Amino acid sequence: MALPRLATSPGYYSLVGAHSFRLGQTAWHCRPSTLRSPPQQKRSLTTTPSHHEEHQNSASPRSEITDSPSPPPEHSATTSTPDTALPPGWEDNPAYHNIKTFSQLPHRHFGHNQHMRINDDFKEALRQILWQFKAPIRYAFAYGSGVFSQGKASADALSPHPNPGKAVQDWQNGGAKIIDFIFGVSHTQHWHSLNLTQHPEHYSALKHLPYSSAAISRVQDSFGAGVYFNPYITVNGTMIKYGVVNLATLSHDLSNWSTLYLAGRLHKPVKILRDDPRIRLANQVNLISALRTALLMLPEHFTERQLYERIASLSYLGDPRMNTLITSENPRKVSNIVGSQLPGFRQLYVPLINNLPNVSFTDPRTPSSAGWETADAIRQTGTALPETDILGGATGLELSQDLDPRKRGNMVRRLPAAFRRKLYYQYKSKFGLPGSAFDEVLEASEDEDPSGGLGFRKREGGEFERRIAGEADLAEVVGKCVRSTVQWPATVQSAKGVVTAGVGRSWRYWAEKRAKGGGKAAGAEEGKEK
């Protein structure tokens, strides 16, 4: 009688199901070798980097941990094909401005110059930090002195990390720098709602407001540069600062230079940890725009060091953090960044230089092999080589540009739309153009096809652009336009930090900047006197 009762019991089926599952699992793990799939390739430990992980774009944070078994061609020193070449007309092709997958990029290696090589263990430590966030991060990069050296670190600098991993300590020579991150997200309020649930301690008093995620997303998107920073956050024993930005805001700034706040950070080497096809394309536009802007501010002959310092300085023009009365930022900051990361700047900009028709290397020491700049950057990964060991020395290689007004007028015409409009207004009054004539100039400079098609106009400079290109004060006026672009968003963003970070954290950040910058400024003055 007991058996029929057991058979009719609900627990009977649960018991049988559990044992069946266990038996099935055991049979699967003990299956013959002939039924097993071939073992996966082991992760490559060679010095040639692999970028498969940067191609992944899944909401799952663990989706980008695998490396490609074969490296991209442009990262091989023996390659003979310039895979970093940009296809003609890619900036004006509408097919490239609404992409959703990496396969829609101009070619499979497009934008690989953006991916800097760092130590594998340190890269894994950075990814482990991202894994601690359950809210979906679509695009992420680490930047700043905590990732890339900006000069010799102080030997007695105290580490901000409570319990850093060995990889962080080794990469930072003791772990003495906060690591900065930018997280690109698809839906701002949804992201903060999830993150508030998981990490409420990351937020200031804004988390106590009714509908806090809506209030936080409103503060993020409506003021400053559209970034919400949480500083002095400890993750995996490492002190970090992370900023959250909507992908649409990031893409717009990269393409149009509406604030230059994030676009300026990406003018310099960063470590991209999660990639997005739309952002990669927009950042390539951002990089080539920075190159054109710097060329308009430089003479006919110049060095790599001068070019890269001009590019790196763009985002600091008008930034209140560079005001010595406020934070006493190191006056040699730009020079230190470029001097310590010249190979990284080469990897970013040499492929773009090779694709511009009016600038070229004139130094006889310039290698003739394709991809030499990336191979050189890989060779110097994680090392502090003396300037004499860098190709071209401290100043780098020599370049020259064609100052023909027609070619420079084309560069003016191809500047980002929001920034270009500022430049045009500067010269409207100088040239004494009446309103009607200036309206015609603005209409002719619109990128979109006026016929209502899906394409873009061929962006060639006209008489107005050529006239601008021939002006002797062009470098000064371009600098003024950069300053006006950066100043207000950066000032509001800094003021917003008091609300988003809280008074205590904001005061700590300012005090540390003041102390660090003041010491470096004094050292610089002492060096000048000597």
Side-chain angles (χ1 to χ4, degrees), residues 282-293:
N283 192 34
Q284 203 75 335
V285 172
N286 173 47
L287 293 174
I288 202 165
S289 297
L291 177 58
R292 289 181 176 129
T293 303

Side-chain angles (χ1 to χ4, degrees), residues 302-355:
F302 52 93
T303 65
E304 278 188 291
R305 182 73 174 259
Q306 291 173 314
L307 173 63
Y308 302 148
E309 285 189 0
R310 180 67 70 179
I311 291 173
S313 69
L314 293 177
S315 60
Y316 293 113
L317 294 176
D319 193 326
R321 294 173 300 170
M322 298 301 290
N323 189 325
T324 56
L325 297 177
I326 299 175
T327 60
S328 191
E329 187 64 86
N330 182 8
R332 292 184 55 82
K333 184 179 182 71
V334 171
S335 179
N336 290 343
I337 289 174
V338 176
S340 302
Q341 303 173 39
L342 196 145
F345 277 91
R346 274 181 176 157
Q347 180 177 319
L348 277 177
Y349 292 104
V350 168
L352 305 181
I353 292 172
N354 291 337
N355 280 275

Side-chain angles (χ1 to χ4, degrees), residues 114-242:
Q114 302 172 21
H115 290 279
M116 298 292 115
R117 172 74 174 180
I118 62 174
N119 175 274
D120 285 340
D121 292 333
F122 182 60
K123 178 177 68 176
E124 192 63 27
L126 297 180
R127 286 160 137 192
Q128 291 281 351
I129 291 174
L130 296 187
W131 292 348
Q132 303 309 309
F133 293 85
K134 294 180 180 178
I137 300 170
R138 309 299 300 180
Y139 181 84
F141 66 87
Y143 67 99
S145 57
V147 184
F148 298 99
S149 172
Q150 295 182 5
K152 294 182 179 178
S154 174
D156 57 350
L158 296 176
S159 173
H161 308 304
N163 185 28
K166 185 177 185 301
V168 174
Q169 287 183 315
D170 291 346
W171 184 260
Q172 295 190 346
N173 296 322
K177 295 284 186 180
I178 292 176
I179 299 176
D180 297 322
F181 292 87
I182 292 293
F183 298 160
V185 304
S186 299
H187 305 286
T188 306
Q189 182 176 345
H190 177 63
W191 195 91
H192 285 296
S193 176
L194 295 176
N195 202 46
L196 277 164
T197 302
Q198 184 188 8
H199 299 298
E201 71 280 2
H202 290 187
Y203 290 85
S204 65
L206 290 178
K207 66 185 176 185
H208 300 300
L209 293 175
Y211 308 105
S212 54
S213 62
I216 289 171
S217 63
R218 178 68 182 272
V219 170
Q220 173 185 318
D221 295 331
S222 302
F223 302 98
V227 190
Y228 190 101
F229 281 105
N230 281 328
Y232 300 108
I233 305 300
T234 301
V235 180
N236 290 350
T238 303
M239 184 74 75
I240 71 170
K241 177 182 76 175
Y242 67 91

Side-chain angles (χ1 to χ4, degrees), residues 405-414 424 444 458-467:
R406 181 176 297 275
K407 293 182 179 179
R408 287 171 70 79
N410 289 340
M411 286 204 300
V412 171
R413 177 66 180 81
R414 288 182 170 273
Y424 286 1
K458 190 173 184 180
R459 293 184 287 176
E460 292 182 350
E463 181 182 351
F464 184 71
E465 286 83 5
R466 290 194 291 270
R467 191 175 176 186

